[in-house]
């Protein structure tokens, strides 16, 4: 009797397992179908884009740009250059400012070896040293004066900036309770830098947050300019979408200008895109333009779509993939929007990830 009961119990457990598995698959398919409907935009037809353009910087020809309007013009055009990827910097880009990325803080709260200003050769514009701290706990450790690291770090950052035109603080993980410590850290830096420019990176906002450590108005009262990182609306673990959709960027600009005049801002624009696995568990990825363009060719994608001006495409391998990216058309459209809002300073993250055609549509000047 006990043996029969055990067999029955085993059969019952197996049946429940398969029933749950079937329900999960059905639910997943329903979610995927919903996602597919969300991205069901009009395809761009290849016959409307007959010319395949092959620029020197392209890994493969690209046909999908159709840019309207005049060139965009900004007073300041910033480009971020990684110290270990200097070859990614497009020398003909009309940059007025370069952010050399980056000098970091080690696990003991000390400044690591900073990149040298001499790395940027044959450039007549301004070069800013970018400082980062990529740990929430470490950021708290160096900002709170009780740990005895802050003042030394301030002196070292000022010293590291001596050959640069300015210093930019890109501390993106400031704990919520360290807002005043962060403000004091910036005040000390500004005092020590004197006439050199101090800028600070902040996350994008579309409304005022309570107890915000990146309060635009407070930080702009300390620093010369605030650089809004208007990207990562969608990220690796979020639902698929543009890293910076047009409507979201528009609302960011509107909110920022309701707080401060435009000359206090540098508005950040992404060159990169992202991809997501729709039918699987593999992680999403971030992509430069050339990587996205290569994927178009490697997977024989014959049509792309645009959602609110942002190009994307789908293809199926063993899994279904959706990939948003930036081309010259979407970049010019976003810049035209920021220009129409009144912004005069713009920044691009990062050099080497862009559609090279974009540089034919932007210029510096008043």
């Amino acid at each position: 009797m006990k043996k029969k009961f055990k067999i029955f119990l085993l059969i019952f457990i197996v049946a429940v397992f398969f029933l749950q598995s079937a329900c999960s698959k059905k639910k997943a398919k329903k979610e995927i179908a919903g996602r597919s409907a969300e991205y069901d935009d009009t395809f761009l037809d290849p016959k409307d884009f007959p010319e395949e353009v092959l620029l020197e910087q392209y890994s493969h020809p690209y046909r999908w740009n159709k840019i309207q309007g005049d060139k965009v013009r900004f007073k300041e055009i910033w480009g971020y250059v990684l110290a270990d990827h200097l070859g990614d910097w497009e020398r003909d880009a009309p940059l007025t400012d370069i952010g050399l990325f980056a000098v970091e803080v080690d696990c003991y709260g000390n400044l690591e070896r900073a990149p040298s200003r001499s790395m940027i050769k044959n450039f007549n514009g301004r070069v800013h040293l970018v400082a980062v701290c990529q740990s929430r706990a470490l950021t708290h450790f160096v900002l709170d004066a009780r740990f005895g690291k802050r003042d030394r770090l301030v002196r070292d950052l000022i010293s590291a900036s001596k050959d640069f035109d300015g210093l930019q603080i890109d501390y993106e993980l400031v704990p919520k309770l360290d807002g005043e410590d962060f403000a004091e850290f910036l005040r000390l830096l500004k005092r020590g830098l004197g006439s050199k420019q101090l800028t600070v990176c902040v996350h994008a906002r579309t409304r005022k947050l309570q107890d915000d450590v990146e309060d635009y108005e407070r930080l702009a009262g300390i620093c010369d300019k605030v650089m809004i990182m208007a990207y990562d609306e969608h990220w690796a673990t979020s639902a698929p979408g543009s890293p910076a959709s047009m409507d979201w960027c528009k609302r960011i600009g509107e909110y920022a200008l309701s707080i401060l005049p435009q000359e206090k801002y540098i508005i950040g624009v992404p060159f990169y895109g992202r991809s997501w696995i729709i039918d699987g568990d593999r992680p999403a990825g971030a992509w430069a333009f050339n990587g996205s363009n290569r994927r178009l060719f490697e997977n024989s994608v014959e049509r792309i779509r645009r959602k609110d001006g942002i190009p994307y495409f789908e293809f199926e391998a063993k899994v279904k993939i959706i990939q948003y990216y930036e081309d010259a058309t979407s970049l010019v459209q976003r810049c035209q929007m920021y220009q129409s809002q009144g912004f005069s300073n713009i920044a691009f993250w990062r050099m080497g990830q862009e559609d090279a055609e974009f540089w034919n549509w932007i210029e510096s000047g008043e």
Side-chain angles (χ1 to χ4, degrees), residues 133-300:
C133 189
Q134 304 188 64
S135 159
R136 192 174 299 277
L138 186 55
T139 302
H140 170 69
F141 179 53
V142 298
L143 291 183
D144 192 326
R146 292 176 297 178
F147 296 108
K149 292 293 183 179
R150 184 196 66 188
D151 293 346
R152 171 68 181 271
L153 179 59
V154 167
R155 291 195 298 270
D156 288 348
L157 282 170
I158 292 168
S159 176
S161 305
K162 65 181 180 181
D163 295 327
F164 289 83
D165 299 290
L167 173 68
Q168 183 167 97
I169 299 300
D170 184 12
Y171 283 19
E172 300 181 23
L173 297 171
V174 180
K176 191 172 183 178
L177 298 180
D178 289 337
E180 186 50 47
D181 288 334
F182 184 46
E184 181 61 18
F185 174 66
L186 294 173
R187 290 188 194 100
L188 293 171
L189 284 171
K190 182 56 187 171
R191 195 175 305 149
L193 288 169
S195 60
K196 288 189 177 182
Q197 192 174 89
L198 175 66
T199 55
V200 61
C201 294
V202 297
H203 290 89
R205 302 282 189 258
T206 58
R207 59 184 176 84
K208 187 173 180 63
L209 302 183
Q210 188 174 4
D211 300 324
D212 190 1
V213 298
E214 294 181 354
D215 182 275
Y216 291 5
E217 189 170 14
R218 176 169 66 169
L219 298 187
I222 303 168
C223 302
D224 296 283
K225 288 187 179 74
V226 172
M227 202 292 276
I228 302 174
M229 299 179 290
Y231 33 79
D232 277 347
E233 177 190 11
H234 298 92
W235 57 97
T237 57
S238 76
S242 168
S245 69
M246 295 295 178
D247 179 67
W248 184 69
C249 289
K250 181 181 179 182
R251 289 186 286 117
I252 290 168
E254 289 171 344
Y255 171 72
L257 295 174
S258 74
I259 304 298
L260 295 166
Q262 63 84 18
E263 59 266 21
K264 291 296 290 186
Y265 292 114
I266 307 161
I267 190 77
V269 173
F271 277 155
Y272 63 92
R274 289 192 182 278
S275 67
W276 288 261
I277 306 299
I278 300 298
D279 295 347
D281 297 323
R282 289 191 295 171
W287 296 84
F289 171 82
N290 258 340
S292 296
N293 193 26
R294 185 180 69 250
R295 267 195 152 182
L296 281 167
F297 276 78
E298 289 177 349
N299 294 278
S300 301

Side-chain angles (χ1 to χ4, degrees), residues 22 32 43 47 50 62 64 67 70 81 83 103 117 138 140 206-207 222 235-236 245 254 278 295 301 330-331 356 362:
I32 291 166
F43 276 111
K47 73 176 185 296
Y62 187 73
W64 304 104
I67 304 172
D70 299 325
V81 175
V103 58
R117 169 67 175 79
L138 186 55
H140 170 69
T206 58
R207 59 184 176 84
I222 303 168
W235 57 97
S245 69
E254 289 171 344
I278 300 298
R295 267 195 152 182
V301 177
S330 61
L331 289 167
I362 185 169

Side-chain angles (χ1 to χ4, degrees), residues 73-77 262-263 265 338 342-346 365:
R73 178 184 289 261
F74 291 91
K75 180 180 177 181
E76 292 183 8
I77 302 175
Q262 63 84 18
E263 59 266 21
Y265 292 114
Y338 285 139
F343 287 100
S344 61
N345 308 315
I346 199 161

